[in-house]
Amino acid sequence: FPLWAGRMGDALAARAAAAAANAMAREFHGELVDVTLRKSTHTAATRTPAAAGDPPALVSGTLRRSAVIVPAVSAGSRAVASCRVAAVYARIQELGGTVTVKRAKVLYNKRTKQAFGKSATLPARPYMKPTRDLLIATGRFRATASTAVFAVVKEAASG
């Protein structure tokens, strides 16, 4: 019996960890795409109204649409799930930096017909870290994880 009970406990802990990690990733994704990345907007071919330090302004929605949830990977009673943003410019928007021409004569946006010269420096417009910090500070991550763990335990107890 002790061996069986230990295995059941381990299995329950693994399921609860994965459920909590997945729930937290969904919470993060929802806040990111529904709130953070909708704080300001502007039309294409106009200067961005987003101030340095604020999230990037919404133009086409590509950054928002490229945000995906990576399901939990478990290792015993630990699990990791995440939300990643796949747009090619996601990292430079978050951290800032300089984009330099490699093959063309100048940086050029075909859609807006804007030319930017041989390089352009973008200020950091963080959106991932502030979203995470908000969910931690407000207790939403903890509440989401607790609810998910409780649901797994309740299901195990009733089944």
Side-chain angles (χ1 to χ4, degrees):
F1 178 77
L3 181 60
W4 175 83
R7 287 184 183 153
M8 290 297 291
D10 292 345
L12 184 60
R15 282 184 29 223
N22 284 325
M24 291 169 70
R26 285 190 304 272
E27 185 77 13
F28 181 91
H29 182 270
E31 181 70 21
L32 181 71
V33 301
D34 295 337
V35 180
T36 304
L37 291 176
R38 288 183 178 215
K39 285 189 178 183
S40 66
T41 64
H42 71 92
T43 57
T46 60
R47 286 190 53 79
T48 179
D54 285 347
L58 176 63
V59 179
S60 66
T62 299
L63 192 65
R64 282 181 50 249
R65 284 191 308 277
S66 76
V68 295
I69 295 170
V70 180
V73 174
S74 298
S77 62
R78 296 178 60 107
V80 175
S82 62
C83 175
R84 72 184 218 22
V85 182
V88 69
Y89 55 88
R91 181 177 167 83
I92 200 159
Q93 285 289 347
E94 177 79 14
L95 303 174
T98 301
V99 179
T100 305
V101 171
K102 290 187 179 177
R103 291 182 221 107
K105 291 182 181 180
V106 295
L107 292 168
Y108 183 73
N109 184 325
K110 290 177 188 174
R111 188 169 55 87
T112 64
K113 298 180 178 30
Q114 288 177 290
F116 299 95
K118 293 197 177 288
S119 67
T121 300
L122 284 75
R125 291 193 175 92
Y127 54 96
M128 298 289 276
K129 186 178 182 302
T131 301
R132 182 205 62 197
D133 292 349
L134 171 77
L135 294 173
I136 291 169
T138 59
R140 285 172 53 194
F141 265 157
R142 182 183 304 266
T144 298
S146 295
T147 300
V149 169
F150 180 75
V152 169
V153 171
K154 184 177 177 182
E155 178 186 327
S158 67

